[in-house]
Amino acid sequence: LADSLNQESQQDLQETSYEILETGVDGDVGEWNNPSDNAYGDFKVENTQYVEELQTTCRDFTQTVNHKGKKEVVKGKACRDS
């Protein structure tokens, strides 16, 4: 669903995700909205942990995208490059 967003909505999604991953604490939610594309969503940091075998910090997240009446929820893990 995120692939069907226009360029502005994709940028909003990327910027919100990046900001929350960089500055948020567990439980923080960043929201974005683009009325011109009828798209909106949020990005939530669920859990932050240090992963010893990777020797880096990783964050579990949930990303929600709503576009033209459809909803997509993606759960994932983002790890900082060492």
Side-chain angles (χ1 to χ4, degrees), residues 19-44:
E19 181 179 332
I20 292 299
L21 284 171
E22 285 295 319
T23 65
V25 297
D26 292 356
D28 278 358
V29 178
E31 298 177 340
W32 61 274
N33 184 14
N34 183 358
S36 69
D37 191 26
N38 193 24
Y40 61 96
D42 59 56
F43 191 94
K44 179 179 182 181

Side-chain angles (χ1 to χ4, degrees), residues 1-81:
L1 190 60
D3 291 339
S4 67
L5 300 174
N6 70 20
Q7 185 175 3
E8 183 181 353
S9 290
Q10 287 184 5
Q11 184 173 348
D12 290 344
L13 170 60
Q14 289 174 356
E15 288 174 358
T16 300
S17 303
Y18 179 80
E19 181 179 332
I20 292 299
L21 284 171
E22 285 295 319
T23 65
V25 297
D26 292 356
D28 278 358
V29 178
E31 298 177 340
W32 61 274
N33 184 14
N34 183 358
S36 69
D37 191 26
N38 193 24
Y40 61 96
D42 59 56
F43 191 94
K44 179 179 182 181
V45 173
E46 302 288 350
N47 183 43
T48 303
Q49 68 278 341
Y50 183 79
V51 179
E52 188 66 38
E53 59 270 14
L54 299 175
Q55 296 185 356
T56 192
T57 300
C58 296
R59 304 188 94 178
D60 297 319
F61 66 85
T62 302
Q63 172 184 288
T64 304
V65 174
N66 299 277
H67 187 228
K68 298 181 179 177
K70 295 181 182 177
K71 179 178 180 178
E72 177 181 75
V73 177
V74 175
K75 292 187 177 281
K77 182 182 295 275
C79 297
R80 185 174 290 286
D81 287 337

